Each structure stands twice: as C-alpha cells, then as structure tokens.
C-alpha cells in the first residue's frame, strides 16, 4: 500500500475537505499522515490522527480581517502564506521522509508542500479547497499577477535547491493533478491550458452523534422553515453586526426559525425563534434546513448545495465574492453586499429563496451534480492513480 502526507495551513476550511479523504485512504489500507498545526488537525480529523508538526509564525486571529481587494490579497500572501511556507518547508520535508511518502496532498495555500515535494523528487497533488483557485483570479490585472509570480519565484529561489522542477504556476496548482472539491456545474469548466483537474465534489465526513453533540435538537420545529446562519470560523470580529442583522431579518418572517453560529459571542438577546450557539453541527443540521445564510465560504456553500439547500450569500473577502457569484449564476441563491445588507434586504432575500421554487430546484440540481461526483471516494481513486502513474508504490 502507499503512504500519503497531507500538508495543510492552520485554517479550518482548508483542512476540512481532506478529512474525509484521509478517512477513505486509511479505510483502503494506506498510511495517512498530516503536516501542520497539531491541535487544529486533531480537532477536525480526530485525536488519533498521525500529525507531524509544521508550525508557522504566530498570526493574530483578527489581523487583516478589515482588508479588501488587493490589500487583502497582499496581506494574505506577503504577511501570512509566504512566511508560513518559509517557516515550515523543512518540517514538511522531514515529515515526508519520516513517513516515506509516495505522494504529498497539498492544500493550495500550503506552499511548503510543493517546495518540499520538488526538493525530494516526490509527486504532489493540489487540494483546491475553494473553486476560486481553479482559475487565475488576477488574470484581468496583469500587474497584480506579476507581483504574485515574482513573490512565488523569490520563494522558490530561496527554498528549493531544484528550481527547474518547480515554477510559480506549479506552486499554485500541481502539474500532476488538482483535486477540485466542487463540480463544473457550479465552478464552470476547467481552463483548457491548465493542469489536469478531478472534479470530485464536496468530501463530506459522515456525521456521528455522540456525547459531544450538545445541540438541542428538540428545539427544531418541523412546521417552521429552518434558516442556518454562519460566517465560518475566522470572521467573528467583523461579523457581529451582520449576525444581528440576520437575527432581525428572521424576526420579520412568519413560520421561520434560525440557528445561528456565533463563535465570538456577539449576540445577546434574541427572539424565541432564533437559537444561538458558538458552533453548529452543520452536516446534521443541513438535513433539516430550508435555507442557509453565509459569507460564501466554499465549504459552507458546497455542504449546503450537497443537501439541496438554497443560499443567501454575503461575501466578505478573498475568494468569497467569486463563490458567491457562482451561486447566483447557478440560480441557487441570492448574493448580497456584506457591508450594505439591512434586515429588510436579508428578509427579502430569504422570502425569495424560501418561497420561489426555482432556487430550491437549482440547489437540487447542484446537489445532484455533487453527489454524482463521488466525493472522498473519487478523490482517493484519483490520488491512488497518480501514485501508480508516477512509479511510486501502489
């Protein structure tokens, strides 16, 4: 059997898609190890996960959250992701040698993975945890594209002794394979000139009820339309006002109730038809949901559509505007402006997605395409094929 090393940044949304893939590979008898921040990986993948620490410089949770556009991209790459690669590439290479890795599966923002793989002569595949990475977001801004290419070229020159095997383009998207945790129905076709892409859809881990599941399921009213509201795990400091707006919006709706994820504790008094929790059991809850209000995080969108649930999307930053527009273009939801959304606008959008059959029908079509894509099983098939085709153990 084969040995796989999964390389991830310390970001929940970038680890989550690979957890179900890791489960599937282990079930097939392969060795699966992780390289990244141990406590976060084990919280998501389980306490028994084999984790080799790769720790970057500390970064305050609220740093960069107020930035938009080019300033946000500059902060993301210059202040976070490139320094993370600089700090962790040796640890990733050491982990690859310790587990005798046949293949590295590298999140698109874990640049230390391709650096280490190229140095060691090991193939790697890219885990595209968002469809925003499947096309060049800076194609229309050549100066920004050159800036990022120069940034990547400098990183390669400093940290890869075999630079001929690695290019800025390959640092972003592996020439061997890109695992796209979405479908062409939402993201559109892959670039003709780009690397091979496997459209596997969302890789959802099977939810398990247990003693840690403290959600009050009896609170759900089967006669009410359930709205799930979440802004992900890192947007709490900028999301409090929007969460309050959503609570006020649901308060205007008859026959509706809302479950709201509020990890930063921004909400206090709420009406009786609103339940506020620090975190929500999303996969199980979506089976009861009639609509989702979110920021356009790729995992949240794919999870909602995989359950045939339409969305109201208010993107904040990074790839979220791209994902939000994909939802709107697919007819599976409504896009709002995050900073300008009022309770009346959110309520109006919810009335539309709850009351107009075309949104539910588009979400169901998106869900069907995702279920047909194969998820974690298809992803495991593809990475096993790369191992076979590159001459490593299979």
């Amino acid at each position: 059997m084969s040995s796989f090393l999964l390389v991830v940044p310390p970001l929940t949304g970038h680890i989550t898609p690979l957890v179900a893939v890791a489960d599937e590979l282990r079930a097939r008898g392969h060795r699966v190890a992780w390289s990244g921040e141990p406590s976060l990986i084990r919280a998501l993948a389980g306490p028994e996960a084999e984790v080799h620490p790769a720790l970057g410089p500390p970064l305050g949770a609220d740093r960069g959250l107020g930035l938009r556009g080019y300033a946000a991209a500059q902060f993301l790459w210059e202040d976070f992701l490139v320094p993370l690669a600089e700090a962790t590439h040796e640890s990733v290479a050491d982990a690859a040698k310790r587990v005798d890795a046949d293949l590295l599966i590298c999140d698109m923002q874990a640049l230390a993975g391709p650096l280490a793989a190229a140095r060691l002569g090991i193939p790697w595949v890219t885990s595209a945890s968002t469809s925003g990475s499947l096309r060049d977001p800076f194609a229309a801004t050549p100066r920004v594209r050159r800036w990022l290419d120069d940034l990547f070229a400098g990183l390669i020159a400093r940290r890869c002794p075999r630079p001929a095997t690695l290019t800025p383009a390959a640092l972003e998207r592996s020439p061997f394979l890109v695992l796209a945790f979405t479908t062409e129905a939402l993201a559109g076709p892959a670039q003709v000139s780009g690397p091979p892409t496997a459209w596997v859809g969302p890789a959802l881990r099977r939810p398990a009820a247990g003693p840690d599941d403290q959600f009050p399921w009896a609170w759900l009213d089967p006669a009410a339309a359930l709205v799930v509201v979440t802004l992900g795990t890192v947007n709490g400091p900028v999301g409090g006002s929007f969460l309050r707006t959503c609570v006020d919006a649901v308060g205007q709706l008859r026959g509706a109730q809302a479950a709201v994820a509020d990890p930063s504790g921004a909400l206090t008094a709420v009406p009786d038809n609103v339940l506020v929790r620090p975190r929500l059991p999303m996969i199980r809850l979506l089976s009861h949901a009639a609509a989702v209000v979110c920021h356009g995080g790729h995992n949240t969108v794919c999870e909602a559509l995989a359950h045939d649930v339409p969305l109201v999307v208010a993107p904040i930053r990074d790839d979220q505007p791209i994902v939000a527009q994909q939802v709107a273009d697919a007819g599976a939801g409504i896009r709002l402006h995050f900073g300008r959304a009022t309770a009346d606008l959110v309520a109006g959008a919810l009335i539309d997605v709850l009351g107009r059959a075309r949104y539910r029908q588009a979400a169901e079509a998106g869900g069907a395409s995702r279920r047909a894509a194969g998820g974690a099983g298809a992803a495991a098939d593809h990475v096993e094929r790369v191992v076979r085709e590159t001459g490593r153990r299979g």
Side-chain angles (χ1 to χ4, degrees):
M1 305 309 287
S2 300
S3 179
F4 296 90
L5 180 67
L6 281 54
V7 186
V8 292
L11 299 168
T12 297
H14 292 252
I15 299 171
T16 301
L18 288 176
V19 171
V21 179
D23 290 345
E24 178 67 22
L25 289 171
R26 276 196 301 270
R28 298 183 183 192
H30 300 295
R31 179 180 182 181
V32 178
W34 297 79
S35 178
E37 202 286 315
S39 62
L40 181 56
I41 293 172
R42 290 195 175 105
L44 296 168
E48 302 305 317
E50 178 184 349
V51 183
H52 298 263
L55 303 176
L59 184 74
D62 58 348
R63 283 189 61 197
L65 285 180
L67 301 177
R68 301 289 185 272
Y70 172 70
Q74 185 177 27
F75 171 83
L76 177 68
W77 293 106
E78 288 188 350
D79 294 350
F80 180 33
L81 296 179
V82 169
L84 178 67
E86 297 264 18
T88 60
H89 70 100
E90 290 288 359
S91 296
V92 174
D94 288 344
K97 288 184 282 189
R98 283 197 297 272
V99 304
D100 192 21
D102 296 292
L103 183 76
L104 271 61
I105 304 175
C106 308
D107 178 82
M108 61 185 189
Q109 292 187 350
L111 305 182
L115 288 172
R119 284 174 49 193
L120 299 173
I122 301 173
W124 76 97
V125 302
T126 297
S127 168
S129 52
T130 169
S131 56
S133 69
L134 298 173
R135 287 168 190 77
D136 184 0
F138 304 122
T141 52
R143 291 181 62 185
V144 178
R145 180 71 262 172
R146 285 195 296 272
W147 157 76
L148 191 57
D149 284 343
D150 289 344
L151 195 65
F152 288 169
L155 176 63
I156 293 168
R158 291 189 302 274
R159 301 303 180 192
C160 187
R162 303 171 61 189
T165 66
L166 190 61
T167 65
L171 198 61
E172 285 189 278
R173 291 182 285 274
S174 166
F176 298 97
L177 181 70
V178 174
L179 287 175
F181 291 98
T182 184
T183 64
E184 292 178 284
L186 181 67
Q191 291 176 300
V192 175
S193 60
T197 301
W199 301 90
V200 301
L204 305 180
R205 198 178 201 188
R206 188 169 299 173
D212 293 333
D213 182 5
Q214 300 298 317
F215 188 83
W217 295 100
W219 178 84
L220 297 179
D221 180 357
L226 176 64
V227 178
V228 177
V229 181
T230 176
L231 295 179
T233 56
V234 298
N235 295 302
V238 299
S241 176
F242 183 81
L243 292 180
R244 170 50 62 183
T245 295
C246 292
V247 169
D248 293 342
V250 173
Q252 300 180 26
L253 305 182
R254 290 185 177 181
Q257 59 179 178
V260 182
D262 180 22
S264 63
L267 300 175
T268 52
V270 297
D272 291 341
N273 67 333
V274 174
L275 177 71
V276 177
R277 307 286 290 181
R279 60 184 297 275
L280 298 174
M282 283 294 294
I283 301 300
R284 292 185 65 198
L285 199 58
L286 285 170
S287 299
H288 303 268
V292 167
V293 181
C294 71
H295 59 309
H298 192 259
N299 286 338
T300 302
V301 166
C302 284
E303 288 167 357
L305 294 179
H307 288 81
D308 303 336
V309 179
L311 301 108
V312 174
V313 188
I316 302 174
R317 53 177 291 170
D318 300 332
D319 65 302
Q320 295 160 16
I322 298 173
V323 176
Q325 193 58 46
Q326 290 173 349
V327 171
D329 290 345
I334 295 174
R335 177 180 178 179
L336 299 178
H337 190 290
F338 180 80
R340 299 174 190 165
T342 64
D344 287 344
L345 286 173
V346 174
L350 282 171
I351 289 170
D352 276 351
V353 300
L354 291 171
R356 295 180 184 270
R358 62 186 177 91
Y359 292 108
R360 169 67 68 169
Q361 290 165 356
E364 290 172 349
S369 75
R370 279 154 181 73
R371 289 186 289 274
D381 290 341
H382 284 289
V383 297
E384 286 178 331
R385 176 182 54 78
V386 173
V387 171
R388 291 193 300 269
E389 292 180 352
T390 55
R392 308 288 292 188
R393 293 188 302 267

